[in-house]
């Protein structure tokens, strides 16, 4: 299966949620514990930006039984992700020590999640649940203490809340909103590249939404700050959960009202205007200069692809 088959236009990674979140079960600790003991319960185990998978011949399996996860050193405090075909799904983390013990094993391995997803090694329909597990595990690992008084907080409600035993403050998982936008001026579009991008790759510009800022204002501000281009007519397209560590990419389009680029070298290595024909070649990796667009895994590919196919 090619990346274009795995992530057809309008369906980037992490957007197809196959789980019933079953939020009504989160407060029932006794029932969750009982579900965790059932033989049909399963878990995704994450370590930083990697996923624990089991090798089965020339294939890999990311969805592990609870027993498999625990034998690999996964943390016993599980996060309830929801139900799939009435079976409970959990998210679990690994300590550094447990991760180090997996080095050299032939049956289990830690593999970088983004690379596996882009290569199609994991079924696309599983990626949303994996993203949920990764985001939640990361949040617990980074927010173990009360932000109000500094006391060690406790996991509650199946992992969807932390509670301080001292001041009783409640803390909930956070998602950081990020705008990512396709900017066009007639039959040209604006794309930029960061230093860490693969050679020749250009993508849509993006940036975090700031406090008390609308999505539309964030789009206009980020484009102006990074490229010097002024925009109008901001339109919403779609969103993509992005578990690095836990963002929501808000895909938008905008119309440029200026064309003189002034690149912010602190943010971008380069920014350029590309014709619709060039963008089409970049998306299919056939540009004569070796230039490439974003991978179908990412919402930026779908923003650009929609514009390429829209001849109006």
């Amino acid at each position: 299966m090619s990346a274009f088959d795995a992530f057809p236009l309008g369906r980037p990674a992490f957007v197809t949620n196959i789980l019933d979140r079953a939020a009504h079960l989160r407060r029932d600790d006794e029932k969750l514990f009982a579900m965790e003991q059932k033989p049909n319960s399963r878990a995704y185990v994450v370590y930083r930006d990697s996923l624990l998978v089991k090798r089965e011949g020339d294939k890999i399996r990311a969805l592990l039984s609870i027993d498999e996860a625990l034998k690999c050193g996964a943390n016993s405090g599980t996060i309830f992700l929801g139900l799939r075909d009435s079976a409970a799904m959990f998210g679990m983390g690994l300590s550094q020590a447990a991760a180090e013990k997996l080095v050299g094993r032939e049956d289990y391995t830690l593999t970088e999640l983004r690379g596996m997803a882009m290569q199609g090694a994991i079924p696309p329909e599983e990626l949303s649940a994996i993203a949920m597990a990764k985001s939640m595990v990361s949040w617990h690992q980074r927010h173990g203490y009360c932000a109000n008084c500094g006391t060690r907080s406790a996991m509650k409600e199946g992992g969807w809340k932390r509670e301080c035993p001292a001041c009783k403050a409640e803390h909930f998982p956070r998602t950081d909103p990020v705008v990512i936008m396709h900017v066009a001026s007639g039959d040209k579009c604006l794309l930029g590249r960061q230093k860490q991008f693969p050679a020749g790759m250009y993508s849509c510009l993006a940036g975090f939404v700031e406090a008390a800022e609308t999505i539309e204002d964030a789009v206009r501000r980020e484009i102006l700050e990074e490229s010097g281009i002024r925009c109008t007519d901001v339109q919403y397209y779609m969103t993509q959960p992005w578990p690095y560590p836990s963002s929501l990419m808000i895909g938008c389009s905008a119309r440029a009202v200026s064309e003189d680029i002034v690149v912010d070298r602190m943010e971008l290595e380069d920014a350029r205007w590309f014709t619709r024909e060039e963008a089409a070649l970049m998306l299919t990796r056939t540009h004569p200069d070796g230039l490439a667009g974003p991978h179908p895994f990412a919402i930026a590919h779908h923003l650009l692809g929609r514009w390429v196919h829209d001849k109006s």
Side-chain angles (χ1 to χ4, degrees), residues 32 35 37 47-48 106 137-138 159 166 187 201 207 213-214 258 279 294:
L32 287 181
M35 293 172 71
Q37 312 309 309
Y47 174 68
R48 297 180 180 173
E106 296 183 356
V137 167
S138 177
D187 261 0
M201 176 185 162
E213 185 175 43
T214 66
S258 65

Side-chain angles (χ1 to χ4, degrees), residues 122-144:
I122 299 174
E125 64 270 15
E126 289 193 55
L127 292 175
S128 179
I130 293 171
M132 196 190 314
K134 183 182 181 306
S135 293
M136 293 295 291
V137 167
S138 177
W139 178 71
H140 282 288
Q141 290 174 342
R142 293 180 294 117
H143 294 83

